[in-house]
Amino acid sequence: MAPEPPRPARELRRDALWELVGTIRRSLAQRGEILPAVWVEETVESIARGTGLGWFTGPTAQPTSLALLWAREGTGYGHLHSAGAGDPVAELSALATELLHHLPATVHRLDVGATGVTPEQEVAVGRRWSELPGTTVILRHSMVRDLSMDDVPPEPAVPEGVALVTVRKVPFDELCALDWRSYRGTPDETLLSESPAGNREMLENAFAGLFGTILDDASPAARTPDGTVVGFAVTCQEAIGVGILLDVAVAPEWRRKGLGRALLLRMLRALLALGYRRAHLWVTEGNAPARALYDRLGFRPDASAAIYRWSRPAPAGAEPPQRQSER
Ligand SMILES: CC(C)(COP(=O)(O)OP(=O)(O)OC[C@H]1O[C@@H](n2cnc3c(N)ncnc32)[C@H](O)[C@@H]1OP(=O)(O)O)[C@@H](O)C(=O)NCCC(=O)NCCS
């Protein structure tokens, strides 16, 4: 039997919504994904005010799944969560099409994540998503490396002519320009931000501690003698004893010279010196250079998460796929 059509989340009681959004946050944290500390409150408030968008399935007192939608800079971000009851695959699939249906016309791409489903259910949701026109599934892997005094990472061998300093010593504009340039042509170029301004905002948020306190010693930048920044890594505290690599970038003309390796060895040694037990990061399946680098440094995959992407098909103005009930 087809599930009931999703209803707007503002119809939910605030405590039920709070509970569900809190569960999403916990599920994401358990998987090692980081969110701003105020995420639950802001999400619930925005839906209650009508500035945030969400839909749910199941009874109002005990919703069985929830979808959230944000849009900025022409890109939409969505999240699907199953509370476990009901038929998670059918409900999340219905919520996914609901998100597409409500996308503003200015949005040309939507990235959606999911929680509360088993790996098998997530594959089934992905399969249904892939049946819609204009969709792809991007796989991201969480990788970890344990740190201990029995296994101290070697000192970084920095390429000749380059010196490592803490990233805060580097002019912020230069950092932003290098970051933007470094990701062009990689599978991650559209994942984090789609414009230099959006990229800058993301770095500003990171340095403001939105995702956790920045660990300066574990966040090195590489400079040439004339002061040009050619690479950097940014790390923050994810949890007690766990540091997460938020970003690593090496200028294209400086690649395959051991600089990425040197930046990450500095990061690992600094984390160990600061008393951290574990280094963590996320990497996209198709980012072969980054995966090879992490693999060589002893990082091992410990979890995966799919991003369901929809891109507005050319020609511009084409509409998102219709909901099941409208076909
Ligand atoms: C990933 C990145 C930081 C690597 O920097 P780098 O300075 O070129 O890496 P290194 O020269 O230190 O490489 C160290 C090892 O990583 C692996 N590696 C790096 N680039 C590789 C590539 N293109 N293909 C295969 N292996 C690669 C190799 O094992 C290499 O050792 P080797 O050269 O002795 O074979 C760089 O490609 C980059 O900035 N990419 C864009 C930004 C990005 O994707 N960041 C990661 C986001 S998760």
Side-chain angles (χ1 to χ4, degrees):
M1 199 176 74
E4 292 280 307
R7 285 183 286 153
R10 61 174 182 277
E11 289 179 14
L12 286 171
R13 278 186 21 202
R14 193 177 284 222
D15 53 356
L17 184 58
W18 184 286
E19 201 49 47
L20 209 47
V21 176
T23 310
I24 296 178
R25 192 192 165 111
R26 197 168 58 246
S27 307
L28 288 169
Q30 273 164 0
R31 187 158 84 187
E33 293 195 43
I34 45 174
L35 287 169
V38 291
W39 188 76
V40 175
E41 175 160 359
E42 282 188 352
T43 302
V44 172
E45 286 303 315
S46 69
I47 287 175
R49 276 198 312 268
T51 54
L53 293 173
W55 294 268
F56 72 99
T57 57
T60 321
Q62 208 169 7
T64 49
S65 62
L66 181 71
L68 300 167
L69 177 65
W70 304 264
R72 62 193 279 273
E73 277 195 344
T75 309
Y77 299 94
H79 192 82
L80 308 171
H81 180 78
S82 165
D87 178 347
V89 175
E91 291 184 16
L92 294 202
S93 301
L95 284 170
T97 30
E98 193 70 23
L99 292 185
L100 287 168
H101 178 77
H102 288 276
L103 270 189
T106 49
V107 168
H108 62 275
R109 171 176 296 153
L110 173 68
D111 283 346
V112 183
T115 46
V117 280
T118 63
E120 294 74 29
Q121 288 168 339
E122 180 145 23
V123 169
V125 173
R127 204 173 294 125
R128 292 212 193 168
W129 177 261
S130 304
E131 287 165 6
L132 303 170
T135 55
T136 45
V137 179
I138 302 167
L139 206 55
R140 303 255 300 152
H141 301 293
S142 160
M143 298 184 85
V144 292
R145 188 200 191 283
D146 288 333
L147 299 164
S148 101
M149 290 310 290
D150 299 334
D151 172 28
V152 180
E155 274 184 43
V158 186
E160 214 174 304
V162 171
L164 297 187
V165 293
T166 50
V167 77
R168 282 202 203 263
K169 291 217 169 134
V170 168
F172 190 62
D173 285 349
E174 282 183 43
L175 213 61
C176 295
L178 173 61
D179 200 36
W180 177 252
R181 192 159 70 88
S182 296
Y183 279 89
R184 295 312 90 206
T186 76
D188 286 326
E189 76 174 342
T190 52
L191 205 58
L192 303 174
S193 130
E194 293 207 34
S195 70
N199 197 68
R200 184 187 183 91
E201 191 185 330
M202 197 186 63
L203 281 174
E204 275 170 356
N205 284 338
F207 280 100
L210 201 69
F211 308 112
T213 307
I214 294 288
L215 302 171
D216 285 2
D217 283 358
S219 302
R223 279 197 310 207
T224 56
D226 67 358
T228 310
V229 196
V230 292
F232 70 92
V234 183
T235 308
C236 79
Q237 169 158 319
E238 177 184 343
I240 309 260
V242 185
I244 182 163
L245 178 72
L246 293 180
D247 196 359
V248 56
V250 168
E253 64 279 13
W254 275 84
R255 292 198 185 146
R256 292 313 288 266
K257 298 180 194 299
L259 189 50
R261 179 182 159 85
L263 289 164
L264 293 193
L265 283 176
R266 168 60 65 87
M267 167 202 128
L268 292 172
R269 286 173 67 88
L271 284 179
L272 188 58
L274 290 166
Y276 285 79
R277 293 176 282 100
R278 179 170 266 203
H280 177 220
L281 56 85
W282 282 91
V283 64
T284 305
E285 164 111 334
N287 194 340
R291 288 182 71 194
L293 170 65
Y294 303 147
D295 197 56
R296 286 279 296 266
L297 289 172
F299 282 88
R300 296 287 166 253
D302 76 329
S304 299
I307 295 176
Y308 307 111
R309 170 170 284 189
W310 171 81
S311 303
R312 194 176 289 279
E319 290 307 312
Q322 290 180 333
R323 284 179 286 189
Q324 233 162 26
S325 54
E326 294 166 339
R327 278 184 213 148

